[in-house]
Amino acid sequence: MYRLNENYLKLPGSYLFSGIAKKVAEFKEANPDRKVISLGIGDVTLPLVPAIISALHEAVDEMASPGTFKGYAPDLGYAFLRETIAAEDYRSRGCNISPDEIFISDGAKCDCANIQEIFSQDTRIAVCDPVYPVYVDSNVMAGRTGNYDPAAGTWSRVIYMPCTAENGFSPDFPDEDPGLIYLCFPNNPTGTTLTKDQLQDWVDYAIRIGAVIIYDAAYEAYISRDQVAHSIYECKGAESCAIEIRSFSKNAGFTGTRLGFTVVPKAIRCGEVSLHSLWARRHGTKYNGAPYIIQKAGAACYSREGKAQLKEQVALYMENARVIRQGLADCGYEVYGGIDAPYIWMKIPAGMTSWDFFDRLLTSAAVVGTPGSGFGPSGEGYFRLTAFGNKDDTKIAIDRIRLL
Ligand code: PLP
């Protein structure tokens, strides 16, 4: 006899992506001659750059000879990659992070979903609204979120921090004190960022109330303005209250290759216990590690050629972002994001829901985007377009939107 984890049963289905797929399939069937262009995907489209490909080839060859063959990877990840990350992503920006505070993983999604395991069941979480849905969903599965209100699209024990045009998409401190605060900047889906000063306020707040910040910096590579922090550890005191999660997916095309890392500084302590020691237990028992071959490819992202090639790739995506922003602004839409992030967040015309706008874009322009309501209740009234598409298609899509 067994029983199911009832928390899983509480999860509403992924109406967002299944709903989009269904509508697009119906449209294609009814309009076989129309070319549908997707500006809705959060996946990258450009191939891995040559520096990464040659590192992959070399690593594969190493696996073929007894002297260089590698078995299980070390729990935290190979030192060559952790040392490179500590130097390039942190020490170069004045952040005091050491290689043994970095845990290599197979991508940010797993870490975003699993990090909640080291906190107690009654920990209250606070999330930006709208945001990447994994933070809330993983806490639902863990039984931490209370009951779902389908009409409001909210969970009773989650503290929502609305991010709308009214507050510049920068969340206000919540009325109730959370134990765990999820921040994602540059933000998916709004494409907005916090300045260093704004982020410092969050660090000070977390220290004041004794909370931990989970800082998701998956889109860090897209930051272009100096006043925006690349890492939360650029803020004073963050090593005592913040965990940072990063990915190689959006800066280096690893969405299918899989690599990421999480920084858990040893200074974050709950009484006598360091959170680092708990996450190390997890890595020792519940995590298999990213393969050597992939970690070698990750290290190649930091070589001189690797950095130059990746910079070019990010610039190509950001040119798409510019085209989308400009095109929408020319049409009179209010447009946000797309400057320090590959996401463009637009206000939709009054009187329409974000699904109405989805239908209009699909049926009139054969362009697919993502309704803002899919990212949280405060996303209603907005719509997300992404810069990850192909350059020519992005231009065609915007030309079609101009004709609407
Ligand atoms: N964090 C955010 C904010 C994301 O939008 C995504 C993917 O879209 C991820 C994390 C997942 O990244 P990864 O591919 O490394 O799992």
Side-chain angles (χ1 to χ4, degrees):
M1 179 63 185
Y2 62 88
R3 293 197 306 130
L4 298 177
N5 177 347
E6 293 192 357
N7 298 318
Y8 275 61
L9 303 179
K10 288 186 184 174
L11 264 183
S14 174
Y15 176 60
L16 179 64
F17 292 106
S18 57
I20 292 174
K22 188 163 166 270
K23 281 171 182 270
V24 172
E26 282 167 6
F27 178 80
K28 282 185 174 167
E29 202 180 319
N31 301 274
D33 302 331
R34 260 347 263 289
K35 178 179 165 166
V36 174
I37 299 177
S38 177
L39 298 185
I41 44 158
D43 199 356
V44 292
T45 50
L46 292 168
L48 297 176
V49 297
I52 294 173
I53 294 296
S54 73
L56 284 167
H57 282 301
E58 275 171 34
V60 167
D61 287 342
E62 285 180 61
M63 295 301 271
S65 51
T68 48
F69 168 78
K70 302 282 188 299
Y72 287 123
D75 290 344
L76 267 61
Y78 283 96
F80 65 79
L81 181 55
R82 290 184 292 107
E83 279 159 12
T84 305
I85 291 170
E88 297 279 337
D89 285 323
Y90 294 106
R91 280 202 300 282
S92 71
R93 296 193 181 279
C95 308
N96 188 18
I97 295 298
S98 67
D100 60 356
E101 293 174 312
I102 295 168
F103 296 78
I104 305 299
S105 73
D106 55 354
K109 186 177 187 180
C110 300
D111 286 348
C112 288
N114 293 328
I115 195 73
Q116 48 76 28
E117 281 188 1
I118 62 174
F119 299 92
S120 75
Q121 184 84 12
D122 58 357
T123 300
R124 292 291 301 276
I125 69 158
V127 292
C128 293
D129 167 29
V131 85
Y132 182 53
V134 168
Y135 318 134
V136 170
D137 286 359
S138 53
N139 278 284
V140 173
M141 292 167 173
R144 202 175 277 119
T145 55
N147 296 317
Y148 187 61
D149 175 348
T154 54
W155 294 89
S156 58
R157 281 185 51 78
V158 173
I159 300 169
Y160 292 89
M161 304 184 291
C163 298
T164 59
E166 286 69 45
N167 60 11
F169 303 95
S170 158
D172 299 317
F173 298 144
D175 295 334
E176 303 168 81
D177 289 345
L180 206 52
I181 304 164
Y182 288 87
L183 295 180
C184 170
F185 291 102
N187 184 268
N188 174 13
T190 66
T192 48
T193 49
L194 297 185
T195 64
K196 279 179 206 173
D197 290 345
Q198 285 172 316
L199 196 54
Q200 182 68 57
D201 288 344
W202 277 96
V203 169
D204 295 343
Y205 168 73
I207 293 172
R208 199 162 63 241
I209 64 166
V212 169
I213 295 176
I214 308 294
Y215 192 70
D216 183 347
Y219 296 95
E220 171 275 333
Y222 291 85
I223 294 170
S224 61
R225 292 176 305 155
D226 287 346
Q227 66 267 41
V228 178
H230 287 250
S231 163
I232 196 162
Y233 304 116
E234 289 174 48
C235 299
K236 253 198 245 106
E239 309 83 43
S240 69
C241 69
I243 290 173
E244 180 163 292
I245 299 175
R246 294 254 192 129
S247 168
F248 286 74
S249 282
K250 313 299 168 113
N251 63 324
F254 278 57
T255 50
T257 309
R258 309 305 302 146
L259 190 66
F261 62 89
T262 286
V263 183
V264 187
K266 292 184 178 167
I268 314 181
R269 307 187 73 83
C270 187
E272 292 296 298
V273 182
S274 82
L275 270 51
H276 182 280
S277 68
L278 297 191
W279 195 239
R281 282 296 303 268
R282 184 186 186 283
H283 265 242
T285 53
K286 284 186 147 184
Y287 178 64
N288 250 338
Y292 172 73
I293 296 168
I294 307 299
Q295 295 197 38
K296 274 296 241 198
C301 299
Y302 297 90
S303 69
R304 202 150 54 87
E305 313 81 71
K307 277 192 211 167
Q309 291 163 4
L310 293 177
K311 203 169 161 195
E312 246 174 70
Q313 226 174 44
V314 166
L316 287 175
Y317 289 134
M318 289 313 281
E319 174 55 16
N320 286 346
R322 193 195 61 74
V323 166
I324 298 170
R325 271 184 68 91
Q326 188 64 53
L328 295 174
D330 290 348
C331 300
Y333 290 111
E334 268 178 53
V335 194
Y336 306 95
I339 289 173
D340 294 302
Y343 293 120
I344 291 91
W345 189 238
M346 59 185 288
K347 185 114 187 82
I348 58 175
M352 290 182 110
T353 68
S354 56
W355 275 107
D356 291 340
F357 191 73
F358 174 92
D359 289 338
R360 178 163 168 220
L361 218 55
L362 177 62
T363 53
S364 313
V367 172
V368 180
T370 314
S373 60
F375 298 97
S378 297
E380 187 50 274
Y382 294 91
F383 200 75
R384 190 191 78 173
L385 296 174
T386 82
F388 287 128
N390 141 318
K391 179 178 162 193
D392 294 337
D393 282 352
T394 300
K395 287 199 170 128
I396 296 169
I398 294 303
D399 287 343
R400 290 186 192 165
I401 293 174
R402 282 179 197 274
L403 296 176
L404 278 183

